[in-house]
Amino acid sequence: MTVRLGGRAFVLDPRAAYGTVRGEIESMSRALQAWLCLLLVLMALGAVGAIFTIAPGTEVFGTTPSFEWGILISAYVLFAITTSGLCLGASLGTVFGIELFRPLEKRHAILAVLTLTTAFGIIALDLHYPVRMVFGAVFNPSLASPMWWMGAFYAGYLVFLIVEVWSMFTGHDRIHQWACTAAAGMAIIAPTTLGAVFGVLFARSYWFGPFTPVTMLVTAQLAGSALLGIVFFLVVRFQRTGFERGRRLAIPAIRILLAVGLVASTVLLGRQLVDGLTTADEAFYDATMVLISGPYAVPFWIRVIAGLAVPLVLIALPVTRTTLGTGVAACLAFGGVVMDRLLFVNVGQVVPGSTVGGVVSDPYVPYTPSLVEISIVIGAFALVAFVYTLVERYADLREADAHLGFHLPEFIASVRARITAGRTVGDADGAHEGNVGIGS
Amino acid sequence: MSERTPLDQRAPGPMESPEPASPALGSEIGLEAGERPPGFLDGRVSRRTVLQAGVVAVPCLAGAGLVFTALDRFVNGDPAGAEPVAARYDASGHRWGFVVDTDSCVGCGMCVVACKAENGVPEDPEYSRTWVERHITTADGTVRVDSPEGGIDGFEPGDPPTMVDGSPVVDARFVPRLCMQCENSPCTAVCPVGATYRTPDGVILIDEERCIGCGYCVVACPYGARYIVPAAEDTPRGVPGVADKCTFCYHRITAGLPPACVEACPVGARRYGDLDDPTSPVSVVMAEQPTTVLKEELGTKPRVHYVGLEAEVVS
């Protein structure tokens, strides 16, 4: 069968397509086949869960008016901050030209697009009227709402990321540089605004306050760095070709990024605990106690020990400063962030600030995620892993050579040259004509 | 395909003028003297083409109409989506307020029943526009709150308990709850698409045609007054998946009628009226008795005032 579109003939031959796909599958190793099969099954599970959410108002989630935001919101927050964190770390290479971080360039961009689109997909399933959101946000924006700004920034971020990926693979170096710079800016603004979505809610003491956006940004950096760490560990482990330079640079770079994220997260967590234990706000105190010794104590302490302390030790100890050590630290740190975002969303609602619609929750608001919610979250993780596996197999992820625009080392050199030139001019009474520019 | 007859050899049709076109006009458009300019339907455009164009154009125009209607609804709002308002009602001439007298309330639950019936609120007590709580304060300062089934079945009549958990009861009262219609309302501030808004007379409404069902307003409300309408069989009039809450029965008060709960209350514990009118029931009560608002420290400036609430309502 042949279809003509725009003067071109497209042959639709199921046999040929089947043969191609079959050939590809047969060329894969057994382990890869099993991995992709597993992911396909999990994605199918997520798709089935997603179908249940289509009709507006159907009660397929475990949420209630007393506990309105469930694990889909947690998953959205996780993917949204991860996409930002990927760009935050990698921007040191792409934007500032620091050589150490250059190998992160292509993989971070691919992962960022994947995690962001997945985040959008999850929030679309959580909303009862996602199409209205698009129309409403464009034609009836509410500029006082942090949620509107968050959507706008993440939408802009997605555009810049797509341009970044396109220019990266098509060799448009100058456009790539500007897209990277713009995306890095958005990667700072967007998660901060996401933090503000929670931080402005004075009805929720645990979320309310200026530190929530800051914490969200720092957690984003940690999440992105940890995901890069996992990916690069696997890339090195499976010895992907053309990655010698990356192995020498990427793993140390990720170690630095992880260390920064872990230390900053620990400091902010400490501040939050001290604040929560000494506050006069009863609801905030109760929420803090829920974490320390209440119903969420076990996951909280697992997160603190396995998600913060152990990775920090692995990064810090000279004996574990290896690829394996970094990989394990990254896995633990990412697991810690997953746990942290679950705790963040849940603890903000578990302490009743009020009776809701005649329901008195005492002492805590109950919430158990439904199978539909769990399947969607699992499917989302599987989707990212599946698509990325295919990208890793078929796309050219070798480090790009060209780098234009704003390079920090060159910028510093140019400033030094200007200072030197100025002195020379002063000494020689204006005889010198300098032509040193940024990125020249 | 048949060959077409040249224009100058054809006999004039019934709708065609036998007169030649004006020479001057013809020369301007490059015609010889006596030559007729071609008409739109004189053989150059077939009937089939016109029909085909029609087949394409009609759905296109219908689609465009739908798109423009949808855009107009989002840009200008849809009156059908908001609470119906009486035709000659002037919203700028009122400032609606509400007073709940907890000294009078007997916890019969008639207000909850009336509200659910009037506004098509789901039967499930989890989804309520108004509900009744019982607050029992003991000597140690503890306030125990319960609200079985949202109070819809009423509390058992009789004297309140004198002791709870070994501590003597110092105060017991029923506290009806509803949307506070805050002047500084967090729900309207956080809505990303402006679906929840305040009317000029101070009532906060929800445009159910615009609400996206994100639940942000539900989470933001400090009084637990909102819920997302479930798609259940017992939701006769609510649109599923959108936020809902008490509107002071806006469709009634704009028509000069009291809210359903006020009308149903057998002891007059619920009163509503214009806060700018010194003779209105709320103004009279507020002038005669001290009133408080819930969670005053949040600065939301509720328009629902309570009489008799000496102890801080913690719920």
Side-chain angles (χ1 to χ4, degrees):
Chain A
M1 183 182 175
T2 305
V3 174
R4 289 188 174 278
L5 286 174
R8 292 181 178 183
F10 294 89
V11 180
L12 297 180
D13 186 354
R15 279 190 178 181
Y18 174 74
T20 307
V21 172
R22 185 174 177 178
E24 275 303 313
I25 292 171
E26 285 173 350
S27 69
M28 294 174 182
S29 66
R30 291 277 180 199
L32 184 57
Q33 286 175 359
W35 169 245
L36 291 178
C37 270
L38 173 69
L39 294 177
L40 277 171
V41 170
L42 296 178
M43 283 163 61
L45 187 71
V48 170
I51 289 169
F52 280 102
T53 69
I54 290 174
T58 46
E59 294 175 292
V60 291
F61 297 159
T63 53
T64 61
S66 306
F67 202 111
E68 186 58 39
W69 284 351
I71 60 165
L72 287 192
I73 296 294
S74 302
Y76 166 73
V77 171
L78 175 73
F79 282 106
I81 63 169
T82 304
T83 185
S84 314
L86 287 162
C87 207
L88 282 173
S91 66
L92 292 169
T94 54
V95 179
F96 296 106
I98 301 175
E99 205 67 9
L100 187 64
F101 298 93
R102 287 273 309 280
L104 309 181
E105 190 176 72
K106 283 191 171 176
R107 287 180 168 84
H108 101 265
I110 299 287
L111 281 168
V113 172
L114 274 177
T115 45
L116 183 53
T117 47
T118 306
F120 281 153
I122 292 171
I123 202 67
L125 292 174
D126 187 69
L127 292 177
H128 291 279
Y129 294 95
V131 178
R132 282 187 190 179
M133 181 194 66
V134 177
F135 277 105
V138 173
F139 294 106
N140 200 46
S142 180
L143 301 185
S145 171
M147 190 179 274
W148 186 87
W149 284 103
M150 178 197 68
F153 287 139
Y154 270 117
Y157 181 52
L158 181 61
V159 170
F160 290 129
L161 278 179
I162 289 171
V163 174
E164 185 180 334
V165 171
W166 166 78
S167 57
M168 188 168 68
F169 284 105
T170 54
H172 291 81
D173 299 323
R174 179 65 71 177
I175 295 174
H176 178 59
Q177 190 65 36
W178 282 110
C180 285
T181 308
M186 284 293 179
I188 297 171
I189 299 169
T192 310
T193 316
L194 173 58
V197 168
F198 294 90
V200 299
L201 298 176
F202 53 75
R204 307 282 171 175
S205 300
Y206 183 72
W207 292 337
F208 181 62
F211 277 98
T212 302
V214 179
T215 308
M216 197 69 85
L217 182 62
V218 168
T219 317
Q221 193 274 338
L222 179 58
S225 307
L227 186 57
L228 279 176
I230 295 169
V231 166
F232 273 76
F233 166 69
L234 293 173
V235 166
V236 172
R237 168 72 181 76
F238 292 109
Q239 297 178 331
R240 300 286 299 152
T241 55
F243 196 65
E244 286 308 308
R245 204 175 102 86
R247 185 168 61 182
R248 279 187 290 108
L249 298 184
I251 298 297
I254 288 165
R255 205 177 291 132
I256 293 171
L257 292 174
L258 273 178
V260 170
L262 289 165
V263 169
S265 294
T266 307
V267 169
L268 282 170
L269 177 64
R271 183 218 67 83
Q272 185 195 337
L273 290 180
V274 170
D275 196 14
L277 291 173
T278 56
T279 181
D281 184 337
E282 200 176 332
F284 186 24
Y285 176 81
D286 288 346
T288 308
M289 292 310 291
V290 162
L291 280 177
I292 293 174
S293 58
Y296 287 90
V298 173
F300 172 72
W301 289 113
I302 288 175
R303 189 256 163 168
V304 169
I305 294 167
L308 285 177
V310 174
L312 258 179
V313 170
L314 288 173
I315 296 290
L317 284 180
V319 70
T320 51
R321 282 183 206 155
T322 59
T323 302
L324 178 64
T326 307
V328 173
C331 286
L332 289 172
F334 192 74
V337 172
V338 173
M339 193 80 83
D340 180 52
R341 291 304 87 184
L342 275 170
L343 290 170
F344 172 75
V345 174
N346 284 14
V347 174
Q349 301 168 90
V350 76
V351 176
S354 168
T355 56
V356 178
V359 176
V360 181
S361 303
D362 185 29
Y364 304 118
V365 183
Y367 166 66
T368 307
S370 68
L371 284 177
V372 170
E373 288 172 286
I374 293 169
S375 67
I376 290 172
V377 174
I378 290 173
F381 277 104
L383 176 68
V384 172
F386 183 81
V387 178
Y388 184 75
T389 305
L390 295 183
V391 171
E392 189 71 54
R393 183 174 170 83
Y394 295 109
D396 177 14
L397 297 180
R398 283 174 299 178
E399 188 180 341
D401 290 329
H403 240 281
L404 306 171
F406 190 87
H407 285 192
L408 187 61
E410 293 171 15
F411 175 70
I412 294 169
S414 71
V415 171
R416 279 183 181 163
R418 283 185 186 190
I419 293 168
T420 310
R423 283 178 187 162
T424 311
V425 168
D427 293 342
D429 199 17
H432 177 72
E433 286 187 12
N435 190 25
V436 183
I438 294 172
S440 61
Chain B
M1 197 173 185
S2 63
E3 212 172 294
R4 289 178 180 170
T5 310
L7 286 173
D8 52 357
Q9 293 176 15
R10 285 199 307 128
M15 300 299 288
E16 292 173 355
S17 167
E19 295 296 320
S22 159
L25 180 62
S27 61
E28 279 178 12
I29 58 174
L31 296 175
E32 295 296 327
E35 189 179 358
R36 293 172 60 256
F40 177 63
L41 290 175
D42 50 2
R44 297 193 177 216
V45 181
S46 69
R47 189 175 289 119
R48 176 176 292 178
T49 307
V50 173
L51 286 172
Q52 285 174 338
V55 167
V56 174
V58 168
C60 283
L61 287 172
L66 285 173
V67 169
F68 278 113
T69 307
L71 292 182
D72 181 63
R73 185 171 289 178
F74 279 110
V75 174
N76 300 318
D78 178 20
E83 197 84 2
V85 179
R88 283 184 231 166
Y89 175 72
D90 177 17
S92 61
H94 302 278
R95 193 165 68 91
W96 297 116
F98 207 99
V99 169
V100 178
D101 186 351
T102 63
D103 288 335
S104 302
C105 182
V106 294
C108 65
M110 293 298 289
C111 50
V112 185
V113 175
C115 175
K116 292 212 181 226
E118 176 71 27
N119 297 297
V121 179
E123 290 293 321
D124 190 339
E126 202 168 41
Y127 309 103
S128 297
R129 285 188 174 197
T130 187
W131 65 98
V132 181
E133 295 169 357
R134 177 169 55 187
H135 291 223
I136 297 176
T137 310
T138 50
D140 59 1
T142 307
V143 182
R144 289 167 177 79
V145 180
D146 69 338
S147 180
E149 301 296 310
I152 192 168
D153 298 327
F155 291 81
E156 288 182 14
D159 294 331
T162 54
M163 298 283 286
V164 175
D165 294 340
S167 186
V169 173
V170 295
D171 186 68
R173 62 184 62 246
F174 297 108
V175 180
R177 297 283 299 270
L178 62 160
C179 172
M180 298 290 127
Q181 314 290 356
C182 308
E183 287 181 32
N184 182 19
S185 48
C187 55
T188 53
V190 300
C191 180
V193 294
T196 183
Y197 61 98
R198 186 183 300 100
T199 58
D201 47 1
V203 179
I204 293 168
L205 301 180
I206 297 160
D207 186 341
E208 62 193 25
E209 297 287 340
R210 187 175 285 174
C211 178
I212 61 174
C214 65
Y216 199 10
C217 58
V218 178
V219 177
C221 178
Y223 303 101
R226 287 173 169 252
Y227 61 91
I228 299 291
V229 177
E233 289 178 5
D234 57 358
T235 311
R237 287 197 293 277
V239 177
V242 301
D244 190 36
K245 66 168 196 75
C246 166
T247 61
F248 282 177
C249 283
Y250 199 65
H251 59 288
R252 288 175 62 93
I253 60 174
T254 52
L257 299 169
C261 60
V262 172
E263 194 173 64
C265 182
V267 293
R270 289 172 175 251
R271 298 177 201 189
Y272 98 104
D274 192 339
L275 291 168
D276 288 336
D277 177 5
T279 63
S280 74
V282 287
S283 299
V284 170
V285 172
M286 291 176 69
E288 292 175 351
Q289 300 181 63
T291 59
T292 55
V293 294
L294 301 187
K295 300 189 178 186
E296 188 175 13
E297 72 279 6
L298 295 181
T300 52
K301 298 182 180 174
R303 290 198 179 190
V304 176
H305 300 258
Y306 284 82
V307 173
L309 269 189
E310 294 175 5
E312 172 65 22
V313 177
V314 294
S315 59

